Amino acid sequence: DKTLQLETALKRLCDIIPEEDSLYLQQAYLNLCLHVAFTDYISNRHSAETQLIARAKALLSNNELSLEQIAEELKISSSGLRKKFKDSTGISPSEWRCKRRIEAAKKLLLTSDLSIDAIAEQTGFYDTPYFYKKFLQIVGTTPKKYRKTEITF
């Protein structure tokens, strides 16, 4: 496909550039080849980074793994992982993990009779006051009020 595009572009160049300017034609063709190669490189690089972030998200879903363990699994430094993740998602890996845990907690608050302490622990928050703090910060209300308000409506 890329070869066909290059051949087509070369034919167009041959049509508009006089034969006596063959050196210019060669330079134009080389520039075109470089452009295609660079475009492929950028596309492949973006695809690899997208795959890296998808794998990082899957690993972050495991509450038992630290960021350092995840980075090691992905064969990248933890600071490199933080930077690539934030560049891709707009938030840090720890913020992403926290929001995911809060979403899971919201579902449990509405669909189970588990205590708030049990929900906190089940969603990876082993410190209930910290769970309350993060829940309030992200949702805008406490877990208890969320459960009461959402079930009422």
Side-chain angles (χ1 to χ4, degrees):
D1 186 43
K2 296 286 183 202
T3 306
L4 183 61
Q5 289 175 349
L6 283 172
E7 287 175 4
T8 304
L10 180 60
K11 285 178 186 173
R12 286 184 188 154
L13 285 172
C14 288
D15 289 343
I16 59 172
I17 297 173
E19 218 173 283
E20 58 270 9
D21 289 335
S22 64
L23 183 60
Y24 180 75
L25 183 62
Q26 288 173 353
Q27 286 178 321
Y29 181 69
L30 285 174
N31 284 338
L32 188 60
C33 288
L34 284 171
H35 173 74
V36 169
F38 183 72
T39 303
D40 281 352
Y41 168 77
I42 294 298
S43 175
N44 290 338
R45 185 170 162 219
H46 178 73
S47 176
E49 285 188 10
T50 301
Q51 290 174 7
L52 176 87
I53 299 307
R55 287 195 58 220
K57 285 179 178 180
L59 292 168
L60 280 165
S61 297
N62 179 342
N63 291 327
E64 303 302 317
L65 294 175
S66 70
L67 186 64
E68 288 72 24
Q69 290 169 314
I70 292 168
E72 188 176 315
E73 174 73 24
L74 296 173
K75 310 225 182 317
I76 187 173
S77 69
S78 47
S79 61
L81 176 58
R82 274 192 289 278
K83 181 177 180 353
K84 285 181 185 292
F85 196 94
K86 187 158 187 170
D87 288 349
S88 176
T89 65
I91 59 175
S92 72
S94 57
E95 288 174 279
W96 186 88
R97 177 183 265 173
C98 186
K99 285 183 177 188
R100 183 172 168 83
R101 288 174 175 172
I102 294 296
E103 286 304 313
K106 285 168 59 178
K107 286 179 188 169
L108 287 172
L109 285 165
L110 300 179
T111 61
S112 77
D113 292 332
L114 291 171
S115 70
I116 292 173
D117 286 346
I119 290 172
E121 188 173 330
Q122 191 170 332
T123 56
F125 292 95
Y126 301 107
D127 178 28
T128 304
Y130 181 71
F131 169 68
Y132 268 86
K133 176 183 174 185
K134 295 310 281 182
F135 195 96
L136 180 60
Q137 206 175 48
I138 292 169
V139 181
T141 188
T142 67
K144 186 176 181 179
K145 286 180 183 174
Y146 179 83
R147 178 179 258 171
K148 200 177 275 187
T149 306
E150 292 298 316
I151 291 176
T152 307
F153 290 108

